[in-house]
């Protein structure tokens, strides 16, 4: 029978299972209060984003303290993502020289960008602006486009004195105000990938032990490696893992928003820990008509290579003002989920919007209903096809667990994943069943909050350290989640000793209601193990 001919329960009934895809909420004035942070957590936020583009590090200190206090009070495993501004070129200060503020430029106007220009000026009818990076004056050539304010204002470079000034002709006019972004999609810029301010913010992130750090305007894998090298140098040794082999440095999220990054995608995916499809600047730097297919391409490659993904920018943009999204926005969120992203991100909607809680609830509902339909359609998961770690360690064992889950129609996967590696691999297989990932590391528990389908469980191993006692705990948890019936199978993945890094892991089948299943009859001396 066709999967589309079954009764469409997702149309008439509310989904009961927890969402598998995660929500990233950007912090800002609208979400800074203790009360709102608690509401956002309760509504389904899994990751909070600190945007270093807005505010000083002193501002970040206060925001971090508030969100950390809210997370601790919730008792949930929630991650904090820092987002570096990167080499974003902006217009310099613009005084209000036109009626309505700023400076109006009209099609056909010739305007100048001048090195050393302070405030923008109009002298004898000639408009001059400054810019935040001097590469504008040396790297932009006549015939190349200059875009301001996310491409709303468009110009064409017509003449330059390299290193001193650039003359542009306006093709699409508008109002230029202070600090509006400048995009140069056809120019090969010599700007550093990581600015001096970015390095200060990255060190702050390391000192505060953020869970993830996003790098903006990535062009090559070398830029990712440069940041990761410095983060390893700044990493605070992690006694939780009890093993010096563990890399406690902050995982890096590569933001794909430049044409060069799309061209170098596979090498960037291999170098980074996660990928963000940053559609704002991507839609300015490249033809906006290409953005949807580029998004699908990025998600497909990340899924094949086994890397977590975040889809960002303007997902529910109208809810900054409105209490409901447009139909196109709802479809946008749903399509990102259907394409297998790990998380969808809210920016201005929660940072400065009027309805932060409502927008999170709306996104959560879209995710759940979309996933309910995904579950109903006859679905055969595909393993990541290009996972480089095969046939070694956790990746190989995850493939075996996936095969067993398919054969046994398992209702859940439960893993003891001390550092989060096994949980990450399992997440990439799109099991369509919940994955509960136990760990006694608070850091690992928070980082696992990003992974699709994974519910982190932060707890200490049983006092006995026996896998049989852990099996009892797991069965109690699964019963409380109300996702199984007696006789259903749940796959358990764990090693001895529980809580140890790089423990030798095994897979066991637990049948709900069967007190002899799982690891309950496990005998240390005779059990066979698989190295992970």
């Amino acid at each position: 029978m066709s999967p589309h001919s079954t009764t469409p329960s997702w149309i008439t009934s509310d989904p009961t299972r927890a969402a598998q895809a995660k929500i990233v909420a950007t912090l800002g004035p609208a979400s800074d209060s203790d009360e709102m942070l608690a509401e956002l957590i309760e509504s389904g936020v899994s990751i909070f984003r600190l945007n270093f583009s807005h505010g000083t590090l002193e501002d970040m200190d206060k925001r971090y303290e508030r969100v950390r206090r809210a997370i601790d009070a919730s008792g949930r495993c929630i991650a904090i993502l820092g987002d570096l501004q990167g080499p974003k070129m902006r217009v310099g200060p613009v005084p209000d020289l036109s009626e309505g503020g700023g400076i109006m430029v009209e099609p056909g106007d010739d305007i100048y960008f001048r090195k050393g220009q302070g405030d923008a000026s109009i002298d004898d009818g000639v408009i001059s602006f400054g810019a935040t990076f001097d590469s504008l004056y040396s790297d932009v050539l006549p015939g190349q486009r200059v875009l301001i304010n996310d491409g709303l204002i468009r110009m064409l470079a017509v003449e330059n004195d390299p290193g001193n000034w650039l003359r542009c002709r306006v093709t699409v006019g508008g109002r230029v105000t202070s600090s509006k972004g400048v995009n140069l999609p056809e120019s090969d810029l010599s700007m550093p990938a990581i600015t001096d301010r970015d390095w200060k913010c990255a060190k702050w992130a390391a000192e505060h032990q953020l869970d993830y750090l996003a790098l903006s305007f990535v062009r090559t894998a070398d830029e990712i490696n440069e940041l990761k090298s410095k983060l390893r140098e700044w990493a605070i040794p992690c006694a939780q893992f009890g093993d010096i082999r563990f890399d406690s440095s902050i995982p890096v999220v590569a933001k794909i928003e430049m044409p060069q990054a799309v061209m170098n995608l596979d090498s960037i995916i291999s170098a980074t820990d996660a990928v963000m499809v940053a559609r704002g600047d991507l839609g300015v730097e490249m033809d906006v008509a290409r953005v949807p297919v580029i998004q699908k391409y990025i998600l497909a490659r990340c899924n094949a290579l086994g890397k977590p993904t975040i889809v960002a920018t303007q997902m529910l943009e109208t809810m900054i003002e409105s209490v409901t999204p447009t139909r196109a926005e709802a479809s946008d969120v749903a399509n990102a989920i259907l394409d297998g992203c790990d998380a969808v991100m809210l920016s201005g909607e929660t940072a400065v919007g009027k309805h932060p809680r409502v927008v999170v609830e709306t996104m959560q509902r879209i995710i759940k209903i979309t996933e309910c339909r995904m579950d109903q359609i006859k679905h055969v998961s595909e393993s990541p096809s290009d996972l480089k770690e095969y046939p070694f360690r956790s990746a190989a064992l995850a493939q075996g667990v996936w095969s067993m889950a398919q054969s046994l129609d398992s209702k859940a996967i439960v893993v003891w994943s001390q550092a989060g590696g096994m949980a990450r691999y399992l997440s990439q297989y799109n099991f369509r069943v919940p994955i509960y990932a136990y760990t006694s590391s608070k850091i690992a528990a928070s980082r696992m909050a990003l992974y699709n389908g994974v519910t982190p469980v932060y707890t200490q191993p049983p006092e006995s350290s026996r896998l049989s006692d852990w099996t009892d705990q797991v069965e109690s948890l699964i019963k409380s989640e109300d996702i199984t019936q007696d006789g259903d199978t749940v796959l358990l993945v764990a090693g001895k000793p529980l809580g140890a890094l790089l423990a030798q892991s095994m897979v066991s089948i637990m049948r709900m209601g069967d007190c002899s299943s799982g690891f309950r009859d496990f005998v240390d001396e005779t059990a066979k193990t698989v190295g992970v």
Side-chain angles (χ1 to χ4, degrees), residues 314-365:
Q314 295 181 329
M315 300 220 78
L316 297 176
E317 180 89 352
T318 58
M319 291 192 73
I320 291 176
E321 297 289 338
S322 172
V323 293
T324 58
T326 66
R327 281 63 171 167
E329 288 171 337
S331 295
D332 184 32
V333 174
N335 277 309
I337 304 305
L338 290 166
D339 287 338
C341 74
D342 288 78
V344 282
M345 191 174 97
L346 297 165
S347 300
E349 300 96 327
T350 53
V352 297
K354 294 180 178 178
H355 319 285
R357 178 183 57 80
V358 174
V359 74
V360 172
E361 291 173 345
T362 301
M363 180 170 271
Q364 184 82 320
R365 185 165 173 77

Side-chain angles (χ1 to χ4, degrees), residues 272-300:
T272 194
D273 299 293
V275 168
M276 182 187 295
V277 186
R279 304 178 304 178
D281 280 281
L282 186 62
V284 178
E285 293 283 340
M286 303 186 74
D287 181 357
V288 70
R290 300 183 189 276
V291 172
V293 292
I294 290 173
Q295 173 179 315
K296 287 180 176 291
Y297 172 66
I298 294 170
L299 294 178

Side-chain angles (χ1 to χ4, degrees), residues 79-237:
I80 301 177
L81 162 70
D83 195 339
L84 300 176
Q85 177 176 324
K88 177 69 173 178
M89 186 178 295
R90 297 183 182 277
V91 175
V94 180
D96 294 334
L97 300 181
S98 297
E99 185 178 351
I103 295 177
M104 285 295 297
V105 296
E106 304 290 346
D109 287 351
D110 276 9
I111 65 99
Y112 284 82
F113 288 93
R114 300 183 188 274
K115 184 177 181 179
Q117 176 86 26
D119 289 355
S121 62
I122 304 177
D123 296 317
D124 297 327
V126 177
I127 301 171
S128 297
F129 296 102
T132 54
F133 284 95
D134 290 345
S135 54
L136 174 70
Y137 313 111
S138 56
D139 295 341
V140 180
L141 304 176
Q144 295 178 340
R145 289 181 295 156
V146 177
L147 310 178
I148 298 177
N149 194 15
D150 291 337
L152 296 178
I153 300 169
R154 296 173 175 262
M155 307 177 184
L156 197 66
V158 294
E159 184 184 6
N160 68 337
D161 179 3
N164 294 307
W165 52 261
L166 176 71
R167 181 166 65 90
C168 300
R169 185 157 296 146
V170 178
T171 57
V172 178
R175 189 181 306 279
V176 182
T177 56
S178 298
S179 301
K180 288 300 181 184
V182 178
N183 290 88
L184 306 165
E186 297 164 347
S187 304
D188 186 11
L189 302 177
S190 56
M191 295 188 298
I194 307 173
T195 66
D196 289 342
R197 171 171 164 76
D198 288 334
W199 285 122
K200 292 176 183 177
C201 293
K203 189 168 186 179
W204 182 94
E207 292 170 349
H208 289 75
Q209 293 185 283
L210 299 194
D211 300 296
Y212 291 95
L213 187 62
L215 180 59
S216 298
F217 302 106
V218 173
R219 290 167 291 190
T220 68
D222 289 342
E223 296 162 350
I224 296 290
N225 292 328
E226 181 184 10
L227 177 59
K228 293 184 77 170
S229 177
K230 206 67 177 176
L231 290 173
R232 281 192 291 271
E233 179 184 324
W234 290 332
I236 298 172

Side-chain angles (χ1 to χ4, degrees), residues 3 338 373-382 406 429-432:
L338 290 166
R373 179 56 177 157
M374 292 170 70
D375 294 340
Q376 190 181 53
I377 296 173
K378 185 178 179 181
H379 178 81
V380 177
S381 298
E382 293 184 0
Q406 297 281 336
Y429 279 88
N430 193 17
F431 280 94
R432 307 307 317 152

